[in-house]
Amino acid sequence: MMSETSVKTHAGSCHCGAVAYEVDVGLDGLVECNCSHCYRKGFVLAFAPRSAFRLTKGEGETTSYFFNQHKIDHRFCKTCGVQPFGYGVAPDGGEVAAINIRTLTDVEPWDWTAQRVDGRSF
């Protein structure tokens, strides 16, 4: 899902700032999913190898939410409730970080396009 040619380091955080991160990811393979979770939260997701994600603030300030098959560790801030990222496994078995690009602090809103994915059918 990620293009190696467009990878750059982005910064992100939750709303209150208790959780912050950096991630090396491209923004040309974004996904907008219609599953019950993503749709309700308005996620637009970028996927990066787990090794490209660095939590820079807030270790211990997030909590997990699991649903359906419990394969994705959806992480959100205990204070403000924003979910900046999640951890999961890609179809090829590699560990990934799913980045909610709406929490990137260095990207202008709607400066991107996303592919729509029918997650309800998964």
Side-chain angles (χ1 to χ4, degrees), residues 42-91:
F43 288 154
V44 176
L45 299 170
F47 294 89
R50 178 64 183 87
S51 60
F53 178 85
R54 297 166 300 282
L55 188 63
T56 59
K57 182 179 178 189
E59 188 68 42
E61 296 303 315
T62 64
T63 191
S64 294
Y65 175 66
F66 294 90
F67 75 103
N68 196 8
Q69 297 178 13
H70 294 233
K71 290 185 177 182
I72 301 171
D73 180 1
H74 300 275
R75 305 297 298 179
F76 60 94
C77 175
K78 292 178 184 179
T79 303
C80 68
V82 168
Q83 183 183 323
F85 62 92
Y87 299 127
V89 178

Side-chain angles (χ1 to χ4, degrees), residues 1-2 18 25 93 101 106-107 110 117:
M1 288 186 194
M2 182 177 83
V25 70
I101 70 153
D106 60 345
V107 173
W110 303 292
V117 173

Side-chain angles (χ1 to χ4, degrees), residues 19-41:
V19 177
Y21 65 90
E22 291 180 343
V23 63
D24 304 323
V25 70
L27 300 181
D28 58 343
L30 303 178
V31 172
E32 185 175 10
C33 176
N34 68 354
C35 78
S36 62
H37 186 252
C38 293
Y39 181 77
R40 282 178 176 82
K41 291 190 173 182

